[in-house]
Amino acid sequence: MGALASAALLLPLLSAAPPAGADVPEAGALQGQFARAAERQGVPESVLLAVAYLQSRWDTHGGAPSVTGGYGPMHLTDAVTALEGAAPHHSEGEEDARGDSSRPARTGAEVPLPAPEQLPERLRTLERASELSGIPAEELRTVPAANIEGGAALLAAAQREAGLPASADPADWYGAVARYSGADDSATAATYANDVFDVIRTGETRTTDSGQVVSLPAAPAVAPATGQVDALGLRRSAAGPVECPASVACEWVPAPYEEFGDGDYGNHDKANRPVSQSIDYIVIHDTEADWKTTLKLVQDPTYVSWQYSLRSSDGHIAQHVPLKDVAWHAGNWFVNAKSVGLEHEGFLTSPDSWYTEAMYRSSARLVRYIAGRYGIPLDRQHVLGHDNVPGTTASSIKGMHTDPGPYWDWAHYFQLLGRPITPSAGPHAGVVTIRPDYESHRPVYTGCVTAGQACVPHGSGAVRLHTAPSADAPLVKDIGLRPGGQDSTTGVNDTGARASTGQSFAVAERRGDWTAVWYLGQKAWFENPVEEPTAVNVRGQVLTPREGLAEVPVYGRAYPEASAYPAGVPVQSVSPLPYKLLAGQRYVVGGRTPGEYYFAPVFDPSGHTVVRGQEEYYQIQFGHRVAFVKAADVRVSQG
């Protein structure tokens, strides 16, 4: 059927569809739109629903693009249009990626947004959907029914182009689903299709961001024709020493370890982890570039590095640095030396940001694999956002990055990790873990596009912290970010008064619908009503200054005492941050660690040394970022 005929069939559907930003449609509307689009395009409804689930979990996001320019439930990509309204990235800090004061700073250069003519087909699928369906691009971006129809048209076209009939059996659509992923290699296309058919077999039911209940009944007997992927003519992934679980598609794109004169080299350090040092952290980033640029940057010896990159559209993974080696990614050398960095493709932040389910799932599988291999606890004390990594000294706090930002869905991510955030204590517990309902919790953020202007309303896993139990009270201060004592703001990049899903804090007081926690040396209040809680009560260890101490210093790294350094290794100062942990305050313990410093300022790894002293530290959740205190300064108890 031609494009004009398809468009004619859609006239009743589109004229009845609500515009972007309209009131919530009547119950069942979205489910019906999937059913009608599947019937018109000859695609099994379960296939269409499962593909949409893996793209968006059936959310519409009010017509706003994903971090890679995808629109609507089907994630039809139109990065050209999305880039026209692009705002500065929320990783806007100017941190030293190494965070090692023993050598010159290594910062990432300004990364340009991709030029429209350089965008690959996977970032321009909306254009193709418009050609196939006859629906104008604007409607595909903003009208859910049109978006679903466009996605169905893409699936139907992929089936036709493969020379296959429009079968009613979902098992016959494996190749079309693999093609829909946009992957250019067979392993990624197959992994994506396998995930879609896992959704078909297990079924899903969910209330979307527009309040719609959508359901896909389980069909456990579906056995797809997996051999269809071989006929797509896709390349094979680059071979190499990848360290990935079998459940993801992973290729080797090595970062260079290269010396280029004047004692400088790039772009990571050789090590022998976990023999030399334990790997304790996994750091979640999102990129400031599209996939092609991301790979180009990490292969530049003059740039910085990270262990893995993950692609948005299909969850494809590229590994760059062996896990035993140290990448330059977190802006804190102590954390770098003991962590693995994951960069998630995302070059857009306005008007709001969302990430595909395909990428969330690949990322969670990779994190589970790394955590299992090295015994890393799957909690928010060890799976950190880049925005949770502390500055190393007072002067570095302002420059620390703020990705992945308030729109990363930590609650869903931890469900995928198999560690859902649930209560473990009664209503009078001394510790709470932040856990608002992501979809319905929509605090106002500003500065996504223009400084001071409100961002488009969007679900968020972060709560705001006030100086008193009132929404009108000022936000708490962060003297590290603002030494002059100014209040924190609602800016999307301002972490000064923000607590995120999964972070645990000691309770300071409860008053009606409000809970106070200890945060950056002060009592900080957030709204936590019984009927719509934004936190769960949990058990946990807490610490406070030992008896006789009015306050103890707080550090951004856990370095050993001066006497531990051997000859030839310069002593690294244990410089406190501008905060204080005061007597009577309590903070949740994330673990105990020896003071360590990895001395690796030269290209030749034979001279690299791990300095380990007698001093031990506790990691704590101190503010939005973690911090360290000396074990000798505090006492630990059950919260």
Side-chain angles (χ1 to χ4, degrees):
M1 186 176 291
L4 290 177
S6 298
L9 282 173
L10 284 173
L11 286 176
L13 173 90
L14 299 185
S15 62
D23 293 337
V24 175
E26 64 182 69
L30 192 61
Q31 184 90 49
Q33 289 161 5
F34 277 107
R36 289 188 290 274
E39 182 179 5
R40 270 191 296 270
Q41 296 293 339
V43 179
E45 185 178 350
S46 63
V47 170
L48 186 60
L49 281 165
V51 168
Y53 187 88
L54 204 65
Q55 293 293 353
S56 67
R57 297 173 72 214
W58 304 322
D59 285 338
T60 63
H61 296 278
S66 73
V67 294
T68 50
Y71 293 84
M74 301 304 299
H75 196 248
L76 301 180
T77 53
D78 183 8
V80 174
T81 297
L83 284 167
E84 292 174 357
H89 195 273
H90 53 231
S91 296
E92 60 178 8
E94 298 176 353
E95 68 182 21
D96 168 12
R98 282 189 295 218
D100 181 11
S101 54
S102 75
R103 46 186 160 171
R106 175 59 69 89
T107 58
E110 186 71 23
V111 180
L113 292 171
E117 64 273 12
Q118 296 175 336
L119 293 170
E121 286 186 11
R122 70 180 185 87
L123 296 180
R124 294 185 288 109
T125 63
L126 189 141
E127 177 183 344
R128 170 74 168 148
S130 181
E131 293 171 356
L132 289 167
S133 67
I135 303 173
E138 179 62 18
E139 292 185 9
L140 290 173
R141 286 192 291 267
T142 59
V143 180
N147 186 274
I148 294 166
E149 190 81 26
L154 287 174
L155 283 166
Q159 188 80 342
R160 289 194 302 272
E161 290 161 5
L164 298 171
S167 169
D169 185 352
D172 296 332
W173 288 75
Y174 186 88
V177 169
R179 175 70 75 186
Y180 192 95
S181 72
D184 62 355
D185 70 283
S186 57
T188 304
T191 299
Y192 178 91
N194 290 340
D195 277 353
V196 168
F197 279 89
D198 281 345
V199 174
I200 292 173
R201 281 188 288 263
T202 60
E204 289 287 351
T205 297
R206 182 170 181 270
T207 301
T208 72
D209 61 352
S210 59
Q212 292 281 296
V213 177
V214 179
S215 183
L216 170 60
V222 172
T226 57
Q228 290 178 355
V229 76
D230 296 331
L232 297 179
L234 302 175
R235 70 176 179 88
R236 293 189 176 275
S237 296
V242 294
E243 299 164 286
C244 291
S247 57
V248 302
C250 191
E251 68 176 321
W252 180 245
V253 182
Y257 188 66
E258 178 181 331
E259 191 171 23
F260 45 85
D262 298 325
D264 204 0
Y265 65 96
N267 59 11
H268 57 282
D269 282 296
K270 296 295 183 183
N272 189 29
R273 305 184 306 176
V275 175
S276 56
Q277 284 186 285
S278 60
I279 299 176
D280 296 338
Y281 306 105
I282 298 169
V283 182
I284 304 299
H285 307 255
D286 73 358
T287 67
E288 300 181 36
D290 63 299
W291 183 254
K292 181 179 179 181
T293 305
T294 296
L295 298 189
K296 180 179 179 181
L297 290 171
V298 80
Q299 294 177 89
D300 180 353
T302 67
Y303 200 66
V304 297
S305 60
W306 47 93
Q307 271 82 9
Y308 298 92
S309 296
L310 293 95
R311 193 161 61 199
S312 174
S313 56
D314 52 24
H316 177 69
I317 298 172
Q319 183 176 1
H320 314 297
V321 176
L323 289 172
K324 70 180 182 63
D325 294 336
V326 176
W328 304 339
H329 63 96
N332 182 314
W333 185 242
F334 177 81
V335 174
N336 276 342
K338 297 172 74 66
S339 72
V340 173
L342 277 60
E343 287 276 4
H344 298 76
E345 182 188 22
F347 52 87
L348 296 170
T349 62
S350 61
D352 70 75
S353 299
W354 57 280
Y355 303 82
T356 65
E357 178 69 359
M359 187 165 68
Y360 272 128
R361 289 190 174 209
S362 284
S363 180
R365 289 170 184 156
L366 179 60
V367 167
R368 283 202 310 268
Y369 165 82
I370 298 167
R373 181 170 172 177
Y374 297 108
I376 303 170
L378 287 173
D379 57 38
R380 288 285 276 116
Q381 289 80 30
H382 299 87
V383 181
L384 305 174
H386 196 177
D387 54 350
N388 307 135
V389 176
T392 54
T393 61
S395 63
S396 68
I397 293 173
K398 289 184 180 180
M400 297 301 289
H401 280 195
T402 60
D403 58 306
Y407 300 134
W408 181 268
D409 192 345
W410 286 107
H412 178 57
Y413 195 56
F414 270 81
Q415 284 182 323
L416 293 174
L417 289 172
R419 294 292 190 275
I421 298 164
T422 56
S424 60
H428 304 295
V431 176
V432 293
T433 296
I434 305 301
R435 187 14 180 128
D437 179 75
Y438 183 89
E439 301 297 350
S440 61
H441 180 68
R442 300 189 171 198
V444 174
Y445 291 102
T446 56
C448 288
V449 179
T450 304
Q453 290 189 5
C455 304
V456 171
H458 191 282
S460 172
V463 299
R464 281 255 161 67
L465 299 167
H466 297 263
T467 57
S470 169
D472 296 327
L475 298 176
V476 296
K477 302 177 190 296
D478 184 336
I479 61 171
L481 287 175
R482 295 178 177 83
Q486 301 94 330
D487 291 338
S488 298
T489 73
T490 59
V492 71
N493 298 312
D494 190 343
T495 60
R498 184 182 298 171
S500 289
T501 291
Q503 294 181 327
S504 296
F505 298 88
V507 174
E509 188 178 347
R510 296 180 192 264
R511 195 182 302 175
D513 287 345
W514 289 77
T515 300
V517 295
W518 295 114
Y519 183 96
L520 294 178
Q522 61 203 302
K523 189 182 287 189
W525 293 87
F526 67 97
E527 195 166 8
N528 186 27
V530 173
E531 64 277 9
E532 294 184 31
T534 55
V536 296
N537 297 301
V538 298
R539 297 183 179 90
Q541 286 190 318
V542 297
L543 56 73
T544 192
R546 66 176 172 80
E547 190 174 351
L549 293 180
E551 62 182 40
V552 300
V554 178
Y555 304 93
R557 53 192 176 185
Y559 278 176
E561 67 276 12
S563 60
Y565 290 80
V569 179
V571 174
Q572 301 299 301
S573 64
V574 184
S575 175
L577 301 176
Y579 313 106
K580 300 291 184 184
L581 195 164
L582 304 177
Q585 298 183 359
R586 300 178 304 148
Y587 292 86
V588 173
V589 175
R592 185 164 176 151
T593 183
E596 293 181 349
Y597 172 63
Y598 183 40
F599 180 65
V602 294
F603 180 74
D604 183 359
S606 64
H608 295 181
T609 303
V610 176
V611 181
R612 189 173 290 112
Q614 299 299 310
E615 192 82 76
E616 292 193 323
Y617 294 79
Y618 285 108
Q619 177 191 321
I620 59 173
Q621 188 66 59
F622 191 59
H624 186 70
R625 300 181 189 272
V626 300
F628 301 91
V629 294
K630 293 182 178 180
D633 288 342
V634 299
R635 61 180 177 86
V636 176
S637 62
Q638 189 67 28

